[in-house]
């Protein structure tokens, strides 16, 4: 059984978010249904650091950063700068999710490894090659839309948090970690000021 792409509000099981205002228990791991990965599946081949895997990771990161900044600029918000140090830490968290076969924020906020005053995290998973899957993940997050009232309280943030993180004008930098394994693409976006 393969994980099937979902659209907009139907993607709740395939997207997860974190912000520093959430209580720790609210950020527990979320199992992703239908991945069909065997428990004893080998873990080799997870985001290799060299060769073709590294090139594909960098291409997917560029695609996702371009999508994020396009939406920020369209809303009159300054674009984000890719932070190489945070990208390394975001990639480490994405590998952790792949190993656990679950979207999670169980390492948040500790996986944010650059100086900051505020931070947020989005995670997502989708079937397909990274350069295409990141587009679908991003569009699903943006489809959440803004909170209906401001400030966005924790109840609303649960349904609009990815969108709020992506378009938060306080964020200036982002780390992006992307891992493709067994036809599934996993993403972590860590935002900081």
């Amino acid at each position: 059984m393969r994980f099937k792409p979902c659209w907009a509000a139907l993607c709740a099981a395939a997207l997860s978010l974190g912000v520093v205002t959430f209580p720790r228990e609210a950020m527990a791991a979320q199992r992703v249904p239908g991945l069909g990965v065997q428990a004893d599946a080998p873990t080799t081949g997870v985001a290799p650091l060299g060769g073709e895997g590294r090139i594909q990771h960098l291409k997917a990161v560029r695609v996702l950063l371009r999508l994020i900044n396009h939406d920020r600029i369209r809303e009159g918000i300054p674009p984000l700068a890719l932070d190489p140090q945070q990208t390394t830490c975001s990639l480490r968290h994405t590998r952790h999710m792949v190993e656990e076969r679950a979207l999670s924020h169980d390492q948040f906020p500790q996986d944010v490894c650059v100086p900051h005053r505020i931070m947020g995290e989005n995670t997502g998973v989708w079937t397909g090659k990274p350069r295409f899957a990141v587009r679908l993940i991003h569009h699903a997050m943006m489809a959440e839309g803004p909170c209906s009232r401001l400030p966005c309280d924790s109840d609303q943030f649960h349904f609009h948090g990815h969108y709020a993180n992506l378009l938060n004008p306080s964020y200036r930098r982002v780390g992006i970690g992307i891992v493709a394994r067994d036809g599934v693409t996993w993403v972590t976006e860590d935002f900081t000021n």
Side-chain angles (χ1 to χ4, degrees):
M1 179 183 215
R2 290 184 52 91
F3 180 70
K4 302 254 191 249
C6 55
W7 297 100
L10 302 175
C11 291
L15 301 174
S16 183
L17 59 99
V19 292
V20 293
T21 58
F22 272 16
R24 188 60 135 165
E25 56 274 7
M27 295 188 281
Q30 298 178 12
R31 293 284 164 197
V32 179
L35 279 181
V37 180
Q38 297 177 0
D40 59 352
T43 59
T44 58
V46 176
L49 292 178
E52 186 65 24
R54 176 110 174 112
I55 292 168
Q56 293 306 315
H57 174 263
L58 294 174
K59 285 181 180 178
V61 167
R62 280 196 300 267
V63 167
L64 184 53
L65 182 63
R66 190 169 44 246
L67 290 168
I68 292 169
N69 283 336
H70 171 79
D71 287 332
R72 288 175 66 90
I73 291 166
R74 187 183 67 216
E75 296 295 325
I77 302 166
L80 295 171
L82 185 66
D83 186 305
Q85 180 182 352
Q86 183 55 54
T87 292
T88 299
C89 297
S90 300
L91 181 58
R92 187 179 318 125
H93 179 71
T94 306
R95 288 180 178 152
H96 167 75
M97 292 191 304
V98 171
E99 293 300 319
E100 295 294 318
R101 295 164 180 73
L103 290 174
S104 71
H105 297 287
D106 61 345
Q107 297 177 326
F108 183 79
Q110 294 82 9
D111 58 347
V112 175
C113 62
V114 296
H116 60 276
R117 287 189 320 270
I118 60 171
M119 61 187 163
E121 180 174 78
N122 291 346
T123 61
V125 62
W126 212 286
T127 301
K129 295 182 179 184
R131 289 175 55 201
F132 302 105
V134 297
R135 286 179 172 91
L136 297 173
I137 291 169
H138 179 75
H139 291 304
M141 289 180 180
M142 289 300 294
E144 292 172 358
C147 293
S148 58
R149 62 186 183 277
L150 295 175
C152 189
D153 61 35
S154 61
D155 290 337
Q156 282 194 82
F157 196 85
H158 180 72
F159 297 103
H160 304 278
H162 299 104
Y163 179 92
N165 277 341
L166 288 163
L167 297 182
N168 186 330
S170 297
Y171 297 141
R172 298 287 188 229
R173 299 177 298 161
V174 65
I176 300 173
I178 301 171
V179 174
R181 178 167 167 209
D182 300 328
V184 178
T185 298
W186 301 76
V187 174
T188 301
E189 302 166 335
D190 287 307
F191 305 93
T192 59
N193 58 320

